[in-house]
């Protein structure tokens, strides 16, 4: 197990106060905090070798290009991809999903075909497929969930058929916390002749991930949820699929040759990286990967299970809190969504903020799931490498205090 005291010292923001109280940051599912190594990498780029990449022959440009491509290689290793050319930088996971929907999707989904997703998808892995289905006159098929928020594989086996062209599913739900059975879904998709797209935005920061072991065809995630900067997304795809896909955006750097009459595309991965990328943040992403590798993803996961198990037990002890998703900490990630009867989650979030505790409250960009759960929104506490059991206790004490503020409604 890693040294949590040492880890916390690496995150200077954790020393600040909010409303006169020590900050307790429990919103890492929205974005994680950044260690000093990531922050220093950003300033190092701007102080020492700020230049555009893939263009200049001067020293600064060559140094920036090398650092940029080193990050690509580190990400390849982090997700166990076969080739660095399969790793494409986007500005976020949402852009990566749209890239596949508007290239592979338009190329391969025809009228009458089906796209399978789940009700637990974030809007980013929902709306692009919904719009693609409408455009191509295809059908959006929902894989149902069990009562505890897991994909019903028996039902999925019947719904993924030879009409299915794409199965798009989150690796881990940002509301339910559910870790989905990607291997089983990959087999169902491939047996039906479909491809499996995985939204790894919530899963990659917490789980040792190998795209080869998962046997998926596409994987998308954002660096800012795994200790990296905002503005960097990653799309991994099988080389054969990426090669066959048309360009997503056109312009500078993604071209091979341009004449007045026609243009030919650059090779992978630059074919999908038009324009000047977010150079500094991509380079700083390497520091985030290094940090997680030093911690060890197995240790990250073990720490998370310990915290979630402790937090769920504590929430259950408060009274009639509704906790969504599997109660077994080994079947979920570091996200716990909950509600108290007749109490709006925004009220809970505001009272916790007064106590210096940052959680998320609302629909979490999962409005279809909220309707299925029969709620307007939930309160959500999400944990990461820098959180402690002591912070869980502070959260639980603040929820008890909320009971008093809300007229003994919240925690009966």
């Amino acid at each position: 197990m890693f040294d949590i005291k040492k880890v916390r010292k690496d995150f200077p923001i954790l020393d600040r106060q909010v409303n006169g109280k020590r900050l307790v940051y429990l919103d890492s599912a929205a974005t994680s905090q950044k260690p000093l190594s990531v922050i220093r990498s950003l300033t190092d780029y701007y102080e020492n070798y700020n230049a555009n990449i893939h263009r200049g022959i001067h020293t600064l440009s060559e140094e920036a290009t090398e650092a940029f491509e080193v990050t690509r290689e580190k990400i390849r290793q982090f997700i166990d991809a076969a080739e660095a050319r399969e790793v494409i930088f986007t500005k976020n996971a949402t852009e990566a999903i749209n890239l596949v929907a508007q290239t592979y999707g338009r190329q391969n989904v025809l009228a009458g075909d089906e796209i399978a997703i789940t009700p637990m998808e974030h809007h980013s892995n929902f709306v692009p497929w919904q719009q693609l289905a409408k455009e191509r006159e295809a059908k959006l098929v929902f894989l149902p969930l069990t009562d505890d928020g897991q994909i019903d594989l028996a039902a999925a086996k019947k719904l993924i058929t030879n009409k299915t062209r794409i199965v798009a599913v989150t690796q881990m739900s940002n509301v339910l916390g559910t870790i989905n059975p990607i291997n089983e879904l990959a087999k169902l998709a491939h047996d039906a002749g479909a491809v499996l797209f995985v939204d790894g935005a919530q899963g990659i920061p917490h789980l040792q991930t190998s795209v080869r072991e998962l046997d998926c065809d596409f994987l998308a995630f954002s660096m800012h949820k795994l200790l990296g900067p905002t503005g960097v997304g990653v799309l991994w795809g099988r080389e054969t699929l990426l090669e066959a896909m048309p360009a997503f955006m056109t312009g500078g750097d993604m071209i091979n040759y341009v004449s007045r009459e026609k243009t030919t595309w650059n090779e992978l991965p630059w074919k999908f990286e038009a324009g000047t990328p977010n150079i500094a943040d991509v380079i700083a992403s390497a520091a985030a990967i290094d940090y997680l590798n030093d911690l060890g993803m197995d240790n990250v996961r073990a720490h998370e299970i310990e915290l979630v198990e402790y937090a769920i037990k504590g929430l259950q002890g408060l009274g009639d809190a509704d906790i969504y998703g599997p109660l077994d900490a080994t079947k979920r990630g570091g996200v716990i969504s909950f509600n108290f009867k007749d109490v709006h989650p925004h009220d809970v979030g505001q009272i916790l903020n007064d106590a210096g505790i940052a959680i998320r409250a609302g629909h979490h960009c999962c409005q279809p799931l909220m309707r299925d759960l029969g709620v307007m929104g939930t309160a959500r506490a999400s944990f990461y490498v820098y959180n402690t059991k002591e912070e869980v206790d502070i959260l639980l004490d603040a929820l008890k205090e909320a009971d008093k503020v809300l007229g003994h409604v919240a925690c009966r």
Side-chain angles (χ1 to χ4, degrees):
M1 181 60 68
F2 56 82
D3 184 343
I4 186 65
K5 290 183 179 178
K6 182 175 181 298
V7 169
R8 289 182 63 83
K9 288 180 180 176
D10 291 331
F11 294 83
I13 200 170
L14 299 179
D15 290 333
R16 71 160 291 180
Q17 291 196 335
V18 173
N19 295 320
K21 307 288 177 57
R22 182 187 123 190
L23 170 66
V24 175
Y25 188 76
L26 302 178
D27 195 20
S28 294
T31 194
S32 68
Q33 297 302 340
K34 322 304 177 192
L36 279 169
S37 58
V38 170
I39 297 168
R40 288 170 177 163
S41 177
L42 282 168
T43 57
D44 179 51
Y45 167 77
Y46 285 117
E47 287 178 354
N48 294 298
Y49 58 103
N50 172 42
N52 213 328
I53 59 170
H54 301 149
R55 291 166 173 81
I57 57 171
H58 56 81
T59 298
L60 268 57
S61 178
E62 289 180 348
E63 289 176 352
T65 299
E66 181 182 358
F68 191 92
E69 295 302 330
V70 163
T71 303
R72 196 189 309 274
E73 172 59 21
K74 288 189 176 184
I75 289 174
R76 180 200 72 75
Q77 293 176 22
F78 192 68
I79 61 173
D80 190 31
E83 301 288 342
R85 57 196 270 112
E86 296 176 325
V87 175
I88 296 160
F89 289 116
T90 60
K91 68 174 181 284
N92 47 46
T94 302
E95 184 179 84
I97 296 167
N98 275 274
L99 189 162
V100 176
Q102 295 183 33
T103 55
Y104 182 89
R106 283 178 172 170
Q107 193 177 50
N108 291 279
V109 176
L110 303 174
D113 289 342
E114 296 180 351
I115 302 169
I117 64 173
T118 81
M120 71 171 76
E121 301 307 318
H122 187 280
H123 291 166
S124 292
N125 196 40
F126 188 153
V127 179
W129 307 116
Q130 180 192 58
Q131 296 306 301
L132 175 68
K134 285 184 178 180
E135 175 189 313
R136 307 304 288 172
E137 297 182 353
K139 182 180 178 183
L140 205 58
V141 174
F142 291 89
L143 307 179
L145 307 182
T146 61
D147 290 342
D148 66 345
Q150 301 186 70
I151 294 176
D152 185 335
L153 282 175
K157 190 173 183 179
K158 295 177 182 175
L159 291 170
I160 298 174
T161 71
N162 59 8
K163 290 185 178 180
T164 309
R165 294 290 170 268
I166 300 170
V167 177
V169 62
T170 183
Q171 188 181 17
M172 188 189 105
S173 168
N174 72 321
V175 175
L176 304 172
T178 310
I179 297 172
N180 284 321
I182 301 301
N183 279 123
E184 288 89 339
L185 291 166
K187 186 175 189 314
L188 292 178
H190 294 156
D191 287 350
V195 297
L196 178 66
F197 183 98
V198 177
D199 173 4
Q202 296 295 335
I204 294 294
H206 306 274
L207 305 169
Q208 182 79 52
T209 300
S210 164
V211 292
R212 286 188 274 197
E213 289 182 7
L214 291 177
D215 199 25
C216 57
D217 299 288
F218 296 102
L219 173 75
F221 57 98
S222 295
M223 287 305 304
H224 73 94
K225 295 183 194 293
L226 62 152
L227 308 182
T230 56
V232 180
V234 174
L235 171 67
W236 169 84
R238 292 187 188 277
E239 183 176 352
T240 52
L241 297 174
L242 295 173
E243 289 281 13
M245 287 158 51
F248 175 49
M249 292 175 61
T250 56
D253 211 33
M254 58 75 64
I255 56 88
N256 177 47
Y257 176 78
V258 179
S259 69
R260 291 194 177 195
E261 293 77 24
K262 67 176 184 179
T263 300
T264 58
W265 310 141
N266 203 342
E267 59 186 50
L268 292 175
W270 306 293
K271 167 184 167 183
F272 293 106
E273 295 180 354
T276 297
N278 190 350
I279 301 169
D281 293 301
V282 167
I283 290 172
S285 297
I289 297 292
D290 288 343
Y291 192 90
L292 286 171
N293 282 335
D294 287 345
L295 288 181
M297 291 305 292
D298 288 343
N299 290 330
V300 170
R301 177 64 180 144
H303 178 66
E304 176 179 272
I305 289 174
E306 186 177 354
L307 280 181
V308 169
E309 200 168 46
Y310 186 71
I312 287 178
K313 187 177 179 182
L315 281 168
Q316 288 174 320
L318 290 181
D320 60 349
D322 289 326
I323 302 172
Y324 305 100
L327 295 179
D328 182 346
T330 63
K331 295 181 178 179
R332 61 187 302 151
V335 167
I336 303 178
S337 290
F338 58 94
N339 270 327
F340 294 103
K341 187 178 180 181
D342 298 328
V343 177
H344 197 288
H346 282 177
D347 292 336
V348 175
Q350 185 59 54
I351 291 171
L352 293 183
N353 183 61
D354 292 343
I357 303 169
I359 66 161
R360 188 71 170 262
H363 57 63
H364 313 299
C365 296
C366 288
Q367 289 179 316
L369 178 61
M370 293 297 124
R371 281 192 286 274
D372 288 356
L373 294 175
V375 298
M376 294 177 62
T378 74
R380 184 187 73 184
S382 53
F383 307 98
Y384 207 21
V385 296
Y386 33 70
N387 292 124
T388 65
K389 284 186 177 180
E390 179 190 1
E391 290 182 317
V392 175
D393 288 336
I394 293 171
L395 168 69
L396 296 172
D397 287 343
L399 288 171
K400 292 174 186 173
E401 184 64 24
D403 179 36
K404 299 175 185 175
V405 175
L406 296 171
H408 297 274
V409 170
C411 304
R412 294 167 298 178

